[in-house]
């Protein structure tokens, strides 16, 4: 009897946790978009585990979504805020999918996110300052959208950032002078084709890994 009492907690701890949270987040993503080619309608079904769904990748345990990636696929609609509930997500790629609406502020609940690619859509609104909380982020692509307003100073917190692409939007105002003070790994900065004004931050010169700097078609002034 004593042996059974000791074993019971162990058996409970080995029971795989249910992950209805990730499932609900994926289903809400599906609800928020139109799928004219019927890819999600035919593949994202209850008859198969969500880790086998197209565009979804999971960790080795098969319980947690680590990637949600769609490129060059007709998905019309908005990005579901429920994506912020995919707590193990490390890669979010929704590129050239004709999405509209804002970048969800709920993305700041993704502490493991390393890749955020939302380029070639029709996203609007401002760049959420809370993206500066994603300190593991290595790639940030918001280029070729309809994003407006200033570049948030908080992006200076992205000390692991390697690629920053914000070109071909309607960004205005100055490039924050401290934007590159804490980003030693930056290799590509693309801010062209906006309405940015003011001086180029001097800290650009300290980026030893920088390979590409694109600032064309702006209203920048001052000395180089």
């Amino acid at each position: 009897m004593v042996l059974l009492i000791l074993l019971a907690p162990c058996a409970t701890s080995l029971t795989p946790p249910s992950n209805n949270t990730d499932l609900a987040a994926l289903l809400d993503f599906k609800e928020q978009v139109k799928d004219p080619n019927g890819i999600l309608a035919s593949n994202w079904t209850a008859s198969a585990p969500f880790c086998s769904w197209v565009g979804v990748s999971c960790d080795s345990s098969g319980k947690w979504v680590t990637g949600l990636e769609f490129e060059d696929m007709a998905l019309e609609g908005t990005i579901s805020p429920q994506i912020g509930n995919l707590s193990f997500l490390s890669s979010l790629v929704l590129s050239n999918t004709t999405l509209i609406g804002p970048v969800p502020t709920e993305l700041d609940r993704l502490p493991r996110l390393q890749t955020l690619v939302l380029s070639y859509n029709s996203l609007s609104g401002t760049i959420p300052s809370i993206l500066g909380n994603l300190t593991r982020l290595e790639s940030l692509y918001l280029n070729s959208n309809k994003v407006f307003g200033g570049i948030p100073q908080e992006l200076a917190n992205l000390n692991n950032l390697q690629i920053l692409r914000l070109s071909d939007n309607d960004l205005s105002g100055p490039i924050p002078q401290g934007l590159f003070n804490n980003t030693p790994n930056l290799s590509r900065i693309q801010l062209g084709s906006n309405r940015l004004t003011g001086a180029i931050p001097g800290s650009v010169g300290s980026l030893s890994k920088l390979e590409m700097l694109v600032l064309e078609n702006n209203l920048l002034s001052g000395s180089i």
Side-chain angles (χ1 to χ4, degrees):
M1 181 63 65
V2 174
L3 181 60
L4 289 176
I5 293 174
L6 291 175
L7 286 178
C10 296
T12 302
S13 65
L14 294 176
T15 302
S18 61
N19 191 5
N20 292 327
T21 300
D22 281 20
L23 175 60
L26 292 174
L27 291 177
D28 194 74
F29 172 81
K30 179 183 178 182
E31 284 294 316
Q32 296 299 320
V33 298
K34 294 180 181 179
D35 177 25
N37 294 327
I39 295 176
L40 299 186
S42 61
N43 184 268
W44 285 34
T45 64
S47 61
F50 61 71
C51 288
S52 67
W53 292 355
V54 63
V56 177
S57 54
C58 293
D59 69 336
S60 58
S61 72
K63 301 184 184 71
W64 310 105
V65 175
T66 58
L68 181 61
E69 301 181 352
F70 291 102
E71 292 185 81
D72 305 317
M73 178 176 168
L75 290 177
E76 304 168 2
T78 59
I79 302 174
S80 168
Q82 297 301 317
I83 285 181
N85 291 334
L86 300 174
S87 57
F88 278 74
L89 198 68
S90 63
S91 180
L92 176 60
V93 178
L94 302 172
S95 179
N96 196 24
T97 52
T98 65
L99 292 169
I100 62 174
V103 178
T105 58
E106 289 80 3
L107 295 184
D108 78 327
R109 302 205 304 261
L110 302 174
R112 296 173 173 83
L113 198 64
Q114 297 177 327
T115 301
L116 178 58
V117 178
L118 303 176
S119 49
Y120 299 103
N121 286 294
S122 294
L123 299 175
S124 58
T126 59
I127 299 175
S129 60
I130 51 81
L131 293 184
N133 295 337
L134 304 175
T135 55
R136 294 191 187 182
L137 202 63
E138 297 176 356
S139 300
L140 175 57
Y141 290 61
L142 293 176
N143 56 295
S144 302
N145 279 287
K146 298 179 180 180
V147 177
F148 57 82
I151 298 175
Q153 172 66 45
E154 288 81 359
L155 297 187
N157 298 330
L158 303 178
N159 59 326
N160 287 305
L161 198 63
Q162 299 176 19
I163 300 175
L164 177 63
R165 296 186 62 180
L166 305 178
S167 54
D168 296 295
N169 279 292
D170 192 29
L171 298 173
S172 58
I175 302 172
Q177 284 299 306
L179 186 61
F180 308 120
N181 287 352
N182 192 36
T183 54
N185 298 315
L186 266 175
S187 62
R188 295 190 178 192
I189 302 172
Q190 295 175 251
L191 306 178
S193 298
N194 283 290
R195 294 188 294 117
L196 298 172
T197 58
I200 301 171
S203 54
V204 170
S206 65
L207 298 174
S208 61
K209 298 182 181 180
L210 191 63
E211 299 174 355
M212 179 181 291
L213 176 62
V214 180
L215 302 174
E216 62 185 5
N217 297 325
N218 279 292
L219 302 171
L220 299 172
S221 59
S223 59
I224 298 177

